[in-house]
Amino acid sequence: MREIDRITGERFGVPSLTLMENAGSAVAEFALSTYPSAKTFGVICGKGNNGGDGFVAGRKLHEAGREVELLLLAEPAELRGDAA
């Protein structure tokens, strides 16, 4: 995924933060459409950019009025890249 993200940025000029925002938004939309009556969602995030996707998904779910339990599988100081 890291390589695909890098190439997408280089070839098409799509910033990493835009990719992260789009991926997280898509996850949140899927979760909300698949589980429309769910009041709480759990999001598990690592320390890389895929974890950043999870942060976006959590934010979007929260903005949709859902409770979000987010588990970060690292110390916050370990976050790197745009996930930080």
Side-chain angles (χ1 to χ4, degrees):
M1 269 326 296
R2 189 176 300 130
E3 184 68 8
I4 291 170
D5 287 352
R6 184 186 66 75
I7 291 170
T8 301
E10 287 177 6
R11 284 194 190 159
F12 304 106
V14 180
S16 177
L17 283 173
T18 300
L19 294 174
M20 191 175 291
E21 190 71 23
N22 290 344
S25 295
V27 168
E29 288 174 21
F30 174 81
L32 290 168
S33 67
T34 304
Y35 305 101
S37 62
K39 295 178 183 174
T40 304
F41 288 92
V43 181
I44 301 171
C45 298
K47 60 185 176 182
N49 282 351
N50 285 340
D53 299 346
F55 295 152
V56 172
R59 176 173 44 85
K60 294 290 189 173
L61 291 166
H62 178 74
E63 289 171 353
R66 302 315 197 276
E67 183 177 329
V68 177
E69 296 286 333
L70 192 136
L71 174 63
L72 175 59
L73 299 177
E75 292 296 323
E78 294 179 69
L79 292 172
R80 56 183 195 262
D82 289 331

